[in-house]
């Protein structure tokens, strides 16, 4: 059945299937709408549409490798989840703190979203929010922010609009994929953990 679906693809589509399958395994999240620096605007993502059109083919191939293919039509996100615990990426504590802050910002701004599903902000706003929420006690080094945001960009969670990651006035987008990176349960767990650390610091 898998071979039949694949054989029906044209030569170009077979090449695209191989390319996009490998990309999906690398980045994990594909957003329907993405920002392009060249055109400086949001565009419908070709890779998302290709997966959508050939969803069963991708699903069956990934299932053989122990992966589940998921699609959320409301937010326009396609992503994979592993059926095995050892197929997980680990990120350091600071990147986790940045991720948590971004998710909280996204939740706050989501009520103001109409047709758009992404949220834009500056690095300065991100830093101010991290301090206001008590996630960090002082302004983090912009080099650390650069590395964290660049890492998250690699998974299509954020996208730079202008400037460079080290500058406070650099603007970037939070994609809706963040909702599936950090579930509500995990969000609550991380928030409670940070609150416990604050209480421990006050006690000492």
């Amino acid at each position: 059945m898998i071979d039949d679906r694949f054989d029906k693809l044209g030569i170009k589509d077979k090449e695209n299937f191989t390319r996009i399958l490998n990309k999906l395994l690398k980045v994990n999240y594909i957003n329907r709408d993405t920002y392009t620096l060249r055109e400086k605007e949001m565009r419908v993502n070709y890779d998302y549409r290709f997966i959508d059109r050939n969803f069963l083919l991708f699903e069956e191939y990934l299932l053989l490798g122990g992966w589940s293919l998921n699609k959320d039509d409301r937010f326009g996100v396609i992503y994979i989840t592993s059926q095995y615990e050892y197929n997980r990426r680990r990120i350091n504590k600071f990147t986790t703190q940045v991720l948590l802050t971004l998710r909280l910002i996204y939740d706050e701004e989501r009520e103001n979203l109409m047709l758009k599903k992404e949220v834009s902000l500056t690095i300065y706003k991100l830093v101010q929010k991290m301090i206001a929420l008590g996630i960090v006690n002082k302004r983090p080094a912009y080099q650390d922010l650069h590395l964290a945001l660049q890492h998250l960009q690699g998974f299509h969670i954020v996208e730079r609009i202008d400037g460079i990651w080290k500058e406070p006035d650099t603007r970037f987008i939070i994609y809706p994929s963040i909702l599936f990176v950090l579930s509500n349960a995990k969000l609550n767990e991380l928030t409670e953990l940070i609150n416990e650390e604050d209480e421990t610091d006050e006690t000492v």
Side-chain angles (χ1 to χ4, degrees), residues 11 21 30 37 43 101 105 111 115 149 155 159 191:
I11 296 174
L21 179 63
I30 303 289
L37 278 172
R43 289 286 184 92
T101 309
I105 291 172
E111 295 181 3
L115 297 177
L149 289 167
F155 294 102
E159 188 75 55
T191 303

Side-chain angles (χ1 to χ4, degrees), residues 86-123:
Y86 50 78
N87 281 327
R88 296 189 181 276
R89 297 284 183 92
R90 294 189 177 276
I91 59 177
N92 61 35
K93 180 180 178 180
F94 182 71
T95 304
T96 302
Q97 291 172 325
V98 171
L99 182 62
L100 172 59
T101 309
L102 293 174
R103 173 60 200 273
L104 293 172
I105 291 172
Y106 190 91
D107 285 349
E108 286 181 2
E109 297 292 331
R110 195 163 56 165
E111 295 181 3
N112 300 323
L113 298 177
M114 299 297 287
L115 297 177
K116 291 170 53 179
K117 301 300 182 185
E118 63 283 341
V119 170
S120 63
L121 70 156
T122 62
I123 291 181

Side-chain angles (χ1 to χ4, degrees), residues 158-176:
V158 298
E159 188 75 55
R160 185 169 48 85
I161 298 176
D162 55 34
I164 58 176
W165 286 123
K166 295 179 182 179
E167 298 296 330
D169 58 349
T170 293
R171 293 186 303 134
F172 66 97
I173 286 173
I174 309 173
Y175 284 128

